[in-house]
């Protein structure tokens, strides 16, 4: 079951999809269905667990569906099928959390993402792309999630393995720069500052500022036009996105990118729709329908959905939907912090690990869903975030029980997944 659920996550990075008249099918749906059948038919989930993290997902999923059916029946049915699949995945994770070995699962995820990364880069190089490795829509997401998985592993790795992991980390940075995935590079920059500063926010701010200064200096010496333009959009994002210039002239303003222009147009339109429908929104997926109907004369690259879940939910599901969505994130942060405080008080982890884990996992995931288009991957990310406190707590308890069985007389200072990082335990 551990392998099935891990492969289900990895399948979201694969360029395998089947378009139907109603939904877009991936291997994810089949793997989740198989896991559900095995778990229920074999009696493995005889005592069902409905954790807080799982229950917190249900109000938002329910409101998302109500909003979808308010648009039309076909739209509602499509979202019902998608929510059923994601809900089944979250349900399976909630049942398996009691036995899931976190470190092994992360190792499998990391190994799979490295293989997908190698395939993505090789495919682009073979097709003549020395930079800008973003032409495979699904596999390019590995650039975003690989640093998060590696940071989690680095956080709990034993001292002897950390040097090798830091070498791997240093090797990822130039790959992210060449890939052109700006959100992945920003996430990696944030994680680097968090890890080096041991999660101390007062030290992280100047470290991140120093990273941007270094990026600016690098941009002045870069001789590749594509990479230079991507870095400039990171350093000065407010100067980009002139969609009025594109509409008037039929071409992009100097230094602009299609992504930035589309985001600027979507933000302007969504702001208008939010002011008109603040409480309940215009309806799930209705934003794209409005663009196709009222702005059919615009270039195709502008007529896309909103790239950002917080903005999309407020536009399509209103203040009610956004409140239910944010509640999941806030609850995950406080529940995870409470679990880590308990682990710290029992000597299972160090102070730096307790500070870093929420920063390493929750902040990058929030940044990802805040800048990415809606879909199965965004909902799966939300499900994992909501269930993260349960996964952490059960992982700690599992490690504690095993340590007690193997070393019954040495439980004064047990360890979880590796030696705690140095840091003040207060």
């Amino acid at each position: 079951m551990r392998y099935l659920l891990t492969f289900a996550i990895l399948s979201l990075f694969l360029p395998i999809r089947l378009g139907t008249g109603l939904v877009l099918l991936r291997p994810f749906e089949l793997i989740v269905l198989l896991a559900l059948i095995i778990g229920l038919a074999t009696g493995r989930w005889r005592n069902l667990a409905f954790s807080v993290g799982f229950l917190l997902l249900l109000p938002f999923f329910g409101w998302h569906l109500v909003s979808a059916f308010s648009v039309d029946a076909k739209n509602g049915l499509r979202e019902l099928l998608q929510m059923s699949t994601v809900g089944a995945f979250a349900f399976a994770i909630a049942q398996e959390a009691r036995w899931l070995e976190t470190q092994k699962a992360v190792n499998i995820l990391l190994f799979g993402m490295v293989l997908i990364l190698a395939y993505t880069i090789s495919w682009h190089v073979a097709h003549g792309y020395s930079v800008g490795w973003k032409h495979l829509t699904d596999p390019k997401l590995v650039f975003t999630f690989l640093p998060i998985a590696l940071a989690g592993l680095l956080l709990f790795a034993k001292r002897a393995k950390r040097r090798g992991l830091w070498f791997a980390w240093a090797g990822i940075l130039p790959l992210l720069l060449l890939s052109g995935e700006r959100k992945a590079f920003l996430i990696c920059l944030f994680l680097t500052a968090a890890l080096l500063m041991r999660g101390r926010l007062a030290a992280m701010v100047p470290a991140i500022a120093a990273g941007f200064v270094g990026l600016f200096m690098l941009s002045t010496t870069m001789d590749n036009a594509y990479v230079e333009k991507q870095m400039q959009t990171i350093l000065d994002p407010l100067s980009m996105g002139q969609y009025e210039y594109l509409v008037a002239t039929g071409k992009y303003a100097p230094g602009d990118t299609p992504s930035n222009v589309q985001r600027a147009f979507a933000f302007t339109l969504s702001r208008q729709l939010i002011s008109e429908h603040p409480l309940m929104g215009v309806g799930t997926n209705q934003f794209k329908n409005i663009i196709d109907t009222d702005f059919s004369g615009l270039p195709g690259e502008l007529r896309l959905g909103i790239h950002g879940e917080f903005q999309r939910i407020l536009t399509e599901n209103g203040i009610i939907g956004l409140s239910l969505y944010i509640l999941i994130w806030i609850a995950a942060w406080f529940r995870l912090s409470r679990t880590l405080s308990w682990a710290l008080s029992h000597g299972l982890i160090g102070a730096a690990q307790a500070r870093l884990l929420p920063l390493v996992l929750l902040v990058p995931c929030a940044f990802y869903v805040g800048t990415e288009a809606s879909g199965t991957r965004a909902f799966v990310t939300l499900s994992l975030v909501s269930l993260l406190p349960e996964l952490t707590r059960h992982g700690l308890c599992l490690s504690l029980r095993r340590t007690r069985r193997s070393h019954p007389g040495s439980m004064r200072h047990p360890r979880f997944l590796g030696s705690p990082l140095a840091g003040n335990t207060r």
Side-chain angles (χ1 to χ4, degrees), residues 78-392:
R78 180 170 56 248
E79 293 302 315
L80 176 62
L81 293 174
Q82 184 183 50
M83 289 296 96
S84 298
T85 303
V86 176
F89 171 79
F91 174 78
I93 291 288
Q95 309 313 310
E96 288 297 314
R98 294 168 282 184
W99 307 291
L100 188 64
E101 298 179 64
T102 311
Q103 187 177 29
K104 292 183 177 179
V106 172
N107 285 335
I108 296 171
L109 281 174
L110 195 60
F111 180 73
M113 284 192 283
V114 168
L115 292 180
I116 296 172
L117 178 70
Y119 165 77
T120 303
I121 296 176
S122 300
W123 184 92
H124 282 86
V125 173
H127 286 76
Y129 299 103
S130 58
V131 295
W133 303 324
K134 300 166 59 176
H135 296 270
L136 296 177
T137 304
D138 296 315
K140 75 176 183 179
L141 292 176
V142 77
F143 291 110
T144 298
F145 284 95
L146 180 59
I148 301 175
L150 184 58
L153 189 61
L154 182 62
L155 181 59
F156 290 104
K158 294 182 179 180
R159 190 178 302 274
K161 295 182 179 180
R162 286 179 194 159
R163 181 174 299 178
L165 292 175
W166 275 115
F167 276 115
W169 188 270
I172 287 179
L173 286 172
L175 294 180
L176 296 181
L177 195 62
L178 294 173
S179 72
E181 270 294 285
R182 292 167 293 180
K183 70 171 71 66
F185 187 82
L186 290 173
I187 286 175
C188 194
L189 176 62
F190 172 82
L191 290 175
T192 302
L195 291 170
L196 291 177
M197 299 299 112
R198 295 292 195 268
R200 295 183 177 90
L201 296 179
M204 286 174 57
V205 173
I208 293 174
F212 275 97
V213 171
L215 186 62
F216 173 77
M217 296 177 62
L218 181 62
S219 67
T220 60
T221 61
M222 183 64 61
D223 58 357
N224 184 280
Y226 174 81
V227 176
E228 182 182 2
K229 183 173 69 173
Q230 294 298 95
M231 286 193 292
Q232 288 298 327
T233 60
I234 293 175
L235 295 169
D236 192 13
L238 297 179
S239 66
M240 307 298 175
Q242 303 176 51
Y243 69 91
E244 300 95 339
Y245 187 93
L246 174 63
V247 173
T249 65
K251 57 183 180 180
Y252 292 101
D256 249 340
T257 66
S259 176
N260 280 3
V261 173
Q262 190 275 330
R263 290 175 190 272
F265 170 71
F267 178 78
T268 301
L269 178 58
S270 65
R271 184 173 55 185
Q272 175 187 339
L273 295 175
I274 290 168
S275 65
E276 296 172 354
H277 308 273
L279 186 63
M280 302 180 66
V282 296
T284 301
N285 296 326
Q286 183 68 354
F287 180 86
K288 185 65 168 59
N289 295 337
I290 292 173
I291 290 181
D292 291 338
T293 302
D294 299 342
F295 300 92
S296 58
L298 291 179
E301 55 263 35
L302 291 187
R303 291 186 287 108
L304 301 175
I306 296 174
H307 281 62
E309 278 294 83
F310 297 100
Q311 178 186 343
R312 182 201 66 81
I313 292 169
L314 181 58
T315 304
E316 297 186 346
N317 304 139
I319 295 175
I320 296 176
L322 184 63
S323 300
L324 296 173
Y325 187 77
I326 292 178
L327 175 63
I328 297 172
W329 290 88
I330 295 176
W333 183 281
F334 283 103
R335 293 171 57 236
L336 179 61
S337 298
R338 187 167 60 246
T339 297
L340 295 174
S341 296
W342 169 84
L344 177 61
S345 66
H346 286 76
L348 295 172
I349 59 175
Q353 290 165 319
R355 289 193 303 267
L356 275 166
L357 191 61
L359 296 176
V360 164
L361 297 181
L362 296 181
V363 174
C365 287
F367 184 75
Y368 164 73
V369 300
T371 55
E372 187 64 28
S374 183
T376 300
R377 290 181 295 265
F379 291 122
V380 168
T381 301
L382 178 69
S383 300
L384 292 174
V385 163
S386 187
L387 292 167
L388 183 59
E390 283 85 357
L391 293 171
T392 304

